[in-house]
Amino acid sequence: MSATGPRTAHRRTVDDRTRGRRPRSGLAVLFAALVSLLATTVLGAPGAVARDPVDAAPAAKAAAAPTAALTEVTGFGSNPSNLQMYLYVPDSVTANPAVVVAVHYCTGSGPAMYSGTEYASLADTYGFIVVYPSVTRASKCFDVSSPQALTRGGGSDPVGIKSMVDWVTRTYSADTDRVFATGISSGAMMTNVLLGDYPDVFAAGAAFSGVPFGCFATTDGSEWNSACSGGTVLHTPQEWGDLVRDAYPGYTGPRPRMQVWHGTEDDVLRYPNFGEEIDQWTNVLGVGRTPAATDSPQSGWTRTRYGATGDQAPVEAVSLQGVGHNLYAWGMAARVLTFFGLDSSGPGPQPQPGACKVTATTSAWSTGLTGSVTITNTGTSRIEGWQLGFTLPSGQTVTNGWGATYAPASGAVTATNATYNGTIAANASVSIGYQASHTGNSSPPTAFTLNGTVCSGT
């Protein structure tokens, strides 16, 4: 249950059990990996939080969750492990909306997942509802290890999350054919578990830095499986598939599609787990392990699709070269929605060109340069959280930056806001900059996108 905070990631402590104590060193490694991500994450829930009465009538329940605000819902149903349920319903919620369950990393929380990812803002655009489960046990990691968690209806966290989904579908007449799960680290492992336990509930999942269903299994009460985290639990595709099928014996219906993401330098949940996830879900979905399509949607990424070549292939896998455990970055959620098929329906306005303006200049010397970039919000609405995309001229490599984080260092670069400048009011501007080396071409970039919107330039 890795942990990594963002978005994105996650970490926490796990109590030792009387027998088979999990080494604290493993948890310490997990926590350390998450510290950098947590440092930029707002962990508190926003403003007012409404609670749903246990005995509320159905009509009252619909009014119990205010729109456009993170709301805690209580009394949502069977909840054997005392999870908390947080809910985001957009003002523009559609009739019979889709539901996305966004599962946090270790040491995280539902509110942290809300504030550290863009699923709520995407819900504003596309009209779906977001559920944010939140762990209350000391480790703040989800149970993906116990026999109860790895069995449909067996108890523990998956049962509580299923109850949350049921509450939403009852209260909002949500579309039961469009329920999805996504998670980071511990939440990614839970995504694998939810799809295995409840294939009749979830249509697809997206797991960032996770492990296969059943990989973290323990029988001694420990939450940690060092062999799995170290990437040494290896099975044949058939064996991995059988673990999923055994979670719901006798089920013969359709199985959810799966998207998996992993960094090659993950030192918390090692990279071999990525290949094992591919083995598992291609077997479960009955498709071959030879990719039907391979491409590189972004520098350093390798995307393979199995069973089909389109955006909703049965299995999609994205490997990030040189990236560690905390791989989740702003903009990835939009790719998740494309895989889910949720990015083309809903009442929200699509971003329109011309809602932003960018001015870029450079000051160069023999082999280096300083770039200055000013981003202006020319739209009528405030921007909450931004990513600026641009392509550096050939031969330029970012060596340092301020006002944003820059990745990768060359080619198609994404600059992500700092914690202090993520909001840009209408008609307001933000200035950022970077230093770069060059091999002769010291020109500034000339084309920019802001959160996917093409910006005009000067």
Side-chain angles (χ1 to χ4, degrees):
M1 355 222 332
S2 82
T4 28
R7 195 134 194 45
T8 237
H10 340 293
R11 18 318 318 269
R12 323 38 202 143
T13 354
V14 177
D15 295 335
D16 289 334
R17 302 296 189 246
T18 321
R19 298 181 310 147
R21 297 174 185 253
R22 154 170 105 56
R24 286 193 174 275
S25 57
L27 283 178
V29 170
L30 180 58
F31 297 170
L34 300 168
V35 166
S36 61
L37 181 57
L38 289 173
T40 59
T41 300
V42 179
L43 295 179
V49 174
R51 297 179 181 270
D52 180 56
V54 175
D55 58 352
K61 285 184 177 179
T67 59
L70 187 66
T71 302
E72 184 180 357
V73 176
T74 61
F76 49 83
S78 178
N79 184 21
S81 55
N82 195 34
L83 298 179
Q84 291 174 291
M85 173 184 176
Y86 291 90
L87 187 71
Y88 183 82
V89 181
D91 286 331
S92 57
V93 63
T94 61
N96 308 120
V99 179
V100 173
V101 179
V103 193
H104 68 73
Y105 38 90
C106 281
T107 72
S109 66
M113 193 71 172
Y114 164 80
S115 62
T117 62
E118 62 271 44
Y119 291 105
S121 62
L122 291 168
D124 289 335
T125 298
Y126 299 112
F128 58 86
I129 291 174
V130 191
V131 176
Y132 299 95
S134 195
V135 169
T136 57
R137 65 176 59 90
S139 67
K140 297 301 174 67
C141 295
F142 285 92
D143 176 14
V144 296
S145 305
S146 72
Q148 292 78 19
L150 298 174
T151 303
R152 176 186 177 85
S156 198
D157 296 347
V159 169
I161 295 173
K162 166 67 160 51
S163 296
M164 297 176 196
V165 171
D166 290 343
W167 187 94
V168 172
T169 56
R170 289 194 309 269
T171 304
Y172 294 93
S173 299
D175 186 346
T176 56
D177 290 329
R178 294 192 301 150
V179 178
F180 305 91
T182 184
I184 301 166
S185 190
S186 178
M189 290 193 272
M190 178 52 70
T191 296
N192 278 267
V193 169
L194 290 172
L195 268 59
D197 285 355
Y198 296 104
D200 53 335
V201 173
F202 295 94
F208 292 83
S209 302
V211 303
F213 178 100
C215 183
F216 240 65
T218 60
T219 57
D220 60 2
S222 172
E223 294 182 51
W224 191 257
N225 185 318
S226 295
C228 179
S229 66
T232 62
V233 176
L234 308 176
H235 292 299
T236 67
Q238 181 68 37
E239 289 169 342
W240 279 124
D242 286 344
L243 287 175
V244 171
R245 288 181 285 269
D246 289 346
Y248 187 4
Y251 178 74
T252 59
R255 293 280 178 173
R257 296 178 298 108
M258 177 58 100
Q259 181 187 66
V260 294
W261 300 68
H262 222 105
T264 61
E265 300 304 312
D266 192 328
D267 60 353
V268 177
L269 299 175
R270 298 284 181 175
Y271 186 67
N273 285 300
F274 177 65
E276 300 301 296
E277 284 181 290
I278 295 172
D279 282 351
Q280 182 170 73
W281 291 104
T282 52
N283 181 267
V284 168
L285 287 155
V287 299
R289 278 209 80 258
T290 300
T294 301
D295 65 357
S296 182
Q298 190 167 308
S299 178
W301 294 13
T302 300
R303 178 172 62 187
T304 49
R305 288 169 168 166
Y306 303 85
T309 60
D311 288 337
Q312 282 90 52
V315 177
E316 180 174 283
V318 186
S319 174
L320 281 67
Q321 182 64 39
V323 176
H325 187 63
N326 298 340
L327 65 77
Y328 183 90
W330 214 260
M332 291 179 177
R335 296 181 182 273
V336 170
L337 290 199
T338 297
F339 181 73
F340 289 170
L342 295 181
D343 60 351
S344 60
S345 61
Q350 299 300 304
Q352 295 299 315
C356 50
K357 181 177 71 174
V358 176
T359 301
T361 60
T362 56
S363 176
W365 59 94
S366 57
T367 59
L369 61 86
T370 298
S372 299
V373 180
T374 299
I375 308 164
T376 302
N377 175 11
T378 58
T380 58
S381 301
R382 180 175 61 181
I383 295 172
E384 295 282 1
W386 52 264
Q387 285 194 318
L388 184 72
F390 57 90
T391 299
L392 287 174
S394 178
Q396 292 186 17
T397 301
V398 173
T399 57
N400 187 28
W402 51 93
T405 56
Y406 299 79
S410 60
V413 177
T414 299
T416 302
N417 66 271
T419 56
Y420 58 83
N421 64 1
T423 298
I424 311 178
N427 299 315
S429 298
V430 167
S431 293
I432 61 174
Y434 58 90
Q435 288 183 327
S437 60
H438 69 83
T439 58
N441 185 348
S442 59
S443 300
T446 57
F448 297 86
T449 61
L450 186 67
N451 292 351
T453 297
V454 177
C455 299
S456 61
T458 58

mmCIF file of all heavy atoms in Angstrom, residues 406-436:
data_model
loop_
_atom_site.group_PDB
_atom_site.id
_atom_site.type_symbol
_atom_site.label_atom_id
_atom_site.label_comp_id
_atom_site.label_asym_id
_atom_site.label_seq_id
_atom_site.Cartn_x
_atom_site.Cartn_y
_atom_site.Cartn_z
ATOM 1 N N TYR A 406 9.392 21.656 -13.244
ATOM 2 C CA TYR A 406 9.513 21.418 -14.674
ATOM 3 C C TYR A 406 9.879 19.964 -14.924
ATOM 4 O O TYR A 406 10.854 19.462 -14.370
ATOM 5 C CB TYR A 406 10.586 22.335 -15.281
ATOM 6 C CG TYR A 406 10.297 23.800 -15.138
ATOM 7 C CD1 TYR A 406 10.545 24.462 -13.935
ATOM 8 C CD2 TYR A 406 9.753 24.524 -16.182
ATOM 9 C CE1 TYR A 406 10.272 25.813 -13.790
ATOM 10 C CE2 TYR A 406 9.469 25.874 -16.056
ATOM 11 C CZ TYR A 406 9.730 26.518 -14.853
ATOM 12 O OH TYR A 406 9.449 27.853 -14.717
ATOM 13 N N ALA A 407 9.089 19.282 -15.767
ATOM 14 C CA ALA A 407 9.388 17.889 -16.107
ATOM 15 C C ALA A 407 8.762 17.545 -17.459
ATOM 16 O O ALA A 407 7.647 17.981 -17.748
ATOM 17 C CB ALA A 407 8.853 16.944 -15.027
ATOM 18 N N PRO A 408 9.487 16.784 -18.287
ATOM 19 C CA PRO A 408 10.907 16.463 -18.140
ATOM 20 C C PRO A 408 11.766 17.695 -18.400
ATOM 21 O O PRO A 408 11.231 18.785 -18.620
ATOM 22 C CB PRO A 408 11.114 15.381 -19.195
ATOM 23 C CG PRO A 408 10.114 15.722 -20.251
ATOM 24 C CD PRO A 408 8.904 16.241 -19.512
ATOM 25 N N ALA A 409 13.091 17.538 -18.421
ATOM 26 C CA ALA A 409 13.980 18.683 -18.526
ATOM 27 C C ALA A 409 14.160 19.167 -19.952
ATOM 28 O O ALA A 409 14.664 20.276 -20.171
ATOM 29 C CB ALA A 409 15.354 18.337 -17.927
ATOM 30 N N SER A 410 13.752 18.382 -20.940
ATOM 31 C CA SER A 410 13.908 18.777 -22.334
ATOM 32 C C SER A 410 12.734 18.259 -23.137
ATOM 33 O O SER A 410 11.918 17.469 -22.645
ATOM 34 C CB SER A 410 15.226 18.240 -22.906
ATOM 35 O OG SER A 410 15.252 16.822 -22.840
ATOM 36 N N GLY A 411 12.649 18.709 -24.376
ATOM 37 C CA GLY A 411 11.550 18.277 -25.233
ATOM 38 C C GLY A 411 10.239 18.897 -24.808
ATOM 39 O O GLY A 411 10.149 20.110 -24.560
ATOM 40 N N ALA A 412 9.179 18.073 -24.762
ATOM 41 C CA ALA A 412 7.848 18.543 -24.354
ATOM 42 C C ALA A 412 7.816 18.657 -22.836
ATOM 43 O O ALA A 412 7.770 17.648 -22.128
ATOM 44 C CB ALA A 412 6.771 17.589 -24.854
ATOM 45 N N VAL A 413 7.849 19.867 -22.325
ATOM 46 C CA VAL A 413 7.977 20.138 -20.895
ATOM 47 C C VAL A 413 6.623 20.551 -20.317
ATOM 48 O O VAL A 413 5.833 21.233 -20.973
ATOM 49 C CB VAL A 413 9.011 21.255 -20.648
ATOM 50 C CG1 VAL A 413 9.103 21.608 -19.161
ATOM 51 C CG2 VAL A 413 10.379 20.835 -21.178
ATOM 52 N N THR A 414 6.356 20.136 -19.094
ATOM 53 C CA THR A 414 5.195 20.605 -18.343
ATOM 54 C C THR A 414 5.673 21.332 -17.100
ATOM 55 O O THR A 414 6.427 20.768 -16.303
ATOM 56 C CB THR A 414 4.273 19.448 -17.943
ATOM 57 O OG1 THR A 414 3.794 18.797 -19.123
ATOM 58 C CG2 THR A 414 3.091 19.961 -17.128
ATOM 59 N N ALA A 415 5.250 22.588 -16.952
ATOM 60 C CA ALA A 415 5.542 23.373 -15.750
ATOM 61 C C ALA A 415 4.299 23.345 -14.872
ATOM 62 O O ALA A 415 3.224 23.772 -15.308
ATOM 63 C CB ALA A 415 5.906 24.803 -16.119
ATOM 64 N N THR A 416 4.439 22.852 -13.648
ATOM 65 C CA THR A 416 3.311 22.715 -12.722
ATOM 66 C C THR A 416 3.442 23.746 -11.611
ATOM 67 O O THR A 416 4.520 23.941 -11.055
ATOM 68 C CB THR A 416 3.279 21.306 -12.118
ATOM 69 O OG1 THR A 416 3.181 20.346 -13.182
ATOM 70 C CG2 THR A 416 2.085 21.135 -11.184
ATOM 71 N N ASN A 417 2.322 24.389 -11.287
ATOM 72 C CA ASN A 417 2.353 25.480 -10.324
ATOM 73 C C ASN A 417 2.991 25.102 -8.993
ATOM 74 O O ASN A 417 2.964 23.946 -8.566
ATOM 75 C CB ASN A 417 0.942 26.004 -10.056
ATOM 76 C CG ASN A 417 0.051 24.979 -9.371
ATOM 77 O OD1 ASN A 417 -0.619 24.192 -10.020
ATOM 78 N ND2 ASN A 417 0.019 24.986 -8.052
ATOM 79 N N ALA A 418 3.560 26.086 -8.325
ATOM 80 C CA ALA A 418 4.039 25.915 -6.959
ATOM 81 C C ALA A 418 2.859 26.036 -6.007
ATOM 82 O O ALA A 418 1.736 26.374 -6.411
ATOM 83 C CB ALA A 418 5.093 26.980 -6.639
ATOM 84 N N THR A 419 3.089 25.761 -4.729
ATOM 85 C CA THR A 419 1.985 25.809 -3.760
ATOM 86 C C THR A 419 1.446 27.215 -3.569
ATOM 87 O O THR A 419 0.284 27.388 -3.197
ATOM 88 C CB THR A 419 2.461 25.262 -2.401
ATOM 89 O OG1 THR A 419 3.605 26.004 -1.969
ATOM 90 C CG2 THR A 419 2.829 23.796 -2.508
ATOM 91 N N TYR A 420 2.263 28.239 -3.838
ATOM 92 C CA TYR A 420 1.853 29.609 -3.553
ATOM 93 C C TYR A 420 1.260 30.357 -4.746
ATOM 94 O O TYR A 420 0.781 31.480 -4.590
ATOM 95 C CB TYR A 420 3.053 30.410 -3.011
ATOM 96 C CG TYR A 420 4.243 30.451 -3.947
ATOM 97 C CD1 TYR A 420 4.316 31.366 -4.994
ATOM 98 C CD2 TYR A 420 5.293 29.563 -3.781
ATOM 99 C CE1 TYR A 420 5.397 31.394 -5.850
ATOM 100 C CE2 TYR A 420 6.381 29.586 -4.630
ATOM 101 C CZ TYR A 420 6.435 30.509 -5.662
ATOM 102 O OH TYR A 420 7.509 30.525 -6.514
ATOM 103 N N ASN A 421 1.297 29.785 -5.940
ATOM 104 C CA ASN A 421 0.807 30.532 -7.106
ATOM 105 C C ASN A 421 -0.145 29.718 -7.972
ATOM 106 O O ASN A 421 -0.284 29.974 -9.165
ATOM 107 C CB ASN A 421 1.979 31.034 -7.955
ATOM 108 C CG ASN A 421 2.813 29.898 -8.558
ATOM 109 O OD1 ASN A 421 2.514 28.723 -8.361
ATOM 110 N ND2 ASN A 421 3.854 30.254 -9.293
ATOM 111 N N GLY A 422 -0.814 28.743 -7.359
ATOM 112 C CA GLY A 422 -1.692 27.870 -8.134
ATOM 113 C C GLY A 422 -2.997 28.524 -8.561
ATOM 114 O O GLY A 422 -3.681 28.017 -9.446
ATOM 115 N N THR A 423 -3.356 29.639 -7.951
ATOM 116 C CA THR A 423 -4.587 30.333 -8.311
ATOM 117 C C THR A 423 -4.260 31.543 -9.184
ATOM 118 O O THR A 423 -3.408 32.366 -8.818
ATOM 119 C CB THR A 423 -5.342 30.802 -7.056
ATOM 120 O OG1 THR A 423 -5.711 29.657 -6.281
ATOM 121 C CG2 THR A 423 -6.595 31.577 -7.426
ATOM 122 N N ILE A 424 -4.930 31.641 -10.322
ATOM 123 C CA ILE A 424 -4.783 32.811 -11.192
ATOM 124 C C ILE A 424 -6.176 33.394 -11.408
ATOM 125 O O ILE A 424 -7.027 32.783 -12.067
ATOM 126 C CB ILE A 424 -4.146 32.457 -12.551
ATOM 127 C CG1 ILE A 424 -2.883 31.619 -12.378
ATOM 128 C CG2 ILE A 424 -3.832 33.743 -13.324
ATOM 129 C CD1 ILE A 424 -2.247 31.195 -13.696
ATOM 130 N N ALA A 425 -6.434 34.537 -10.826
ATOM 131 C CA ALA A 425 -7.732 35.180 -10.982
ATOM 132 C C ALA A 425 -7.926 35.637 -12.425
ATOM 133 O O ALA A 425 -6.965 35.755 -13.205
ATOM 134 C CB ALA A 425 -7.844 36.367 -10.032
ATOM 135 N N ALA A 426 -9.179 35.869 -12.805
ATOM 136 C CA ALA A 426 -9.469 36.392 -14.145
ATOM 137 C C ALA A 426 -8.699 37.683 -14.368
ATOM 138 O O ALA A 426 -8.651 38.561 -13.497
ATOM 139 C CB ALA A 426 -10.965 36.616 -14.295
ATOM 140 N N ASN A 427 -8.035 37.785 -15.512
ATOM 141 C CA ASN A 427 -7.244 38.960 -15.912
ATOM 142 C C ASN A 427 -5.987 39.160 -15.068
ATOM 143 O O ASN A 427 -5.356 40.220 -15.151
ATOM 144 C CB ASN A 427 -8.101 40.234 -15.878
ATOM 145 C CG ASN A 427 -9.275 40.169 -16.829
ATOM 146 O OD1 ASN A 427 -9.127 39.749 -17.978
ATOM 147 N ND2 ASN A 427 -10.453 40.549 -16.353
ATOM 148 N N ALA A 428 -5.618 38.177 -14.268
ATOM 149 C CA ALA A 428 -4.394 38.245 -13.481
ATOM 150 C C ALA A 428 -3.289 37.436 -14.151
ATOM 151 O O ALA A 428 -3.541 36.629 -15.059
ATOM 152 C CB ALA A 428 -4.639 37.746 -12.068
ATOM 153 N N SER A 429 -2.055 37.648 -13.691
ATOM 154 C CA SER A 429 -0.909 36.989 -14.301
ATOM 155 C C SER A 429 -0.018 36.357 -13.244
ATOM 156 O O SER A 429 -0.032 36.754 -12.075
ATOM 157 C CB SER A 429 -0.079 37.999 -15.109
ATOM 158 O OG SER A 429 -0.832 38.560 -16.162
ATOM 159 N N VAL A 430 0.754 35.356 -13.661
ATOM 160 C CA VAL A 430 1.769 34.699 -12.840
ATOM 161 C C VAL A 430 3.045 34.636 -13.665
ATOM 162 O O VAL A 430 3.003 34.315 -14.858
ATOM 163 C CB VAL A 430 1.325 33.280 -12.434
ATOM 164 C CG1 VAL A 430 2.487 32.490 -11.860
ATOM 165 C CG2 VAL A 430 0.195 33.335 -11.430
ATOM 166 N N SER A 431 4.172 34.942 -13.019
ATOM 167 C CA SER A 431 5.458 34.873 -13.709
ATOM 168 C C SER A 431 6.296 33.733 -13.141
ATOM 169 O O SER A 431 6.366 33.553 -11.920
ATOM 170 C CB SER A 431 6.208 36.199 -13.568
ATOM 171 O OG SER A 431 5.529 37.239 -14.260
ATOM 172 N N ILE A 432 6.914 32.988 -14.032
ATOM 173 C CA ILE A 432 7.791 31.886 -13.648
ATOM 174 C C ILE A 432 9.052 31.980 -14.489
ATOM 175 O O ILE A 432 9.143 32.807 -15.415
ATOM 176 C CB ILE A 432 7.122 30.515 -13.847
ATOM 177 C CG1 ILE A 432 6.768 30.290 -15.334
ATOM 178 C CG2 ILE A 432 5.857 30.404 -12.993
ATOM 179 C CD1 ILE A 432 6.225 28.905 -15.633
ATOM 180 N N GLY A 433 10.037 31.157 -14.184
ATOM 181 C CA GLY A 433 11.254 31.198 -14.971
ATOM 182 C C GLY A 433 12.086 29.948 -14.822
ATOM 183 O O GLY A 433 11.812 29.091 -13.977
ATOM 184 N N TYR A 434 13.117 29.863 -15.644
ATOM 185 C CA TYR A 434 13.983 28.690 -15.615
ATOM 186 C C TYR A 434 15.342 29.047 -16.188
ATOM 187 O O TYR A 434 15.503 30.038 -16.937
ATOM 188 C CB TYR A 434 13.376 27.538 -16.415
ATOM 189 C CG TYR A 434 13.101 27.858 -17.874
ATOM 190 C CD1 TYR A 434 14.075 27.634 -18.857
ATOM 191 C CD2 TYR A 434 11.881 28.400 -18.267
ATOM 192 C CE1 TYR A 434 13.831 27.932 -20.186
ATOM 193 C CE2 TYR A 434 11.621 28.712 -19.596
ATOM 194 C CZ TYR A 434 12.594 28.476 -20.551
ATOM 195 O OH TYR A 434 12.356 28.793 -21.866
ATOM 196 N N GLN A 435 16.321 28.260 -15.830
ATOM 197 C CA GLN A 435 17.624 28.300 -16.470
ATOM 198 C C GLN A 435 17.785 27.029 -17.283
ATOM 199 O O GLN A 435 17.291 25.966 -16.892
ATOM 200 C CB GLN A 435 18.744 28.413 -15.438
ATOM 201 C CG GLN A 435 18.836 29.777 -14.768
ATOM 202 C CD GLN A 435 20.005 29.876 -13.815
ATOM 203 O OE1 GLN A 435 20.380 28.893 -13.184
ATOM 204 N NE2 GLN A 435 20.588 31.068 -13.689
ATOM 205 N N ALA A 436 18.478 27.153 -18.406
ATOM 206 C CA ALA A 436 18.664 25.996 -19.277
ATOM 207 C C ALA A 436 20.017 26.076 -19.960
ATOM 208 O O ALA A 436 20.560 27.167 -20.171
ATOM 209 C CB ALA A 436 17.549 25.922 -20.318
#
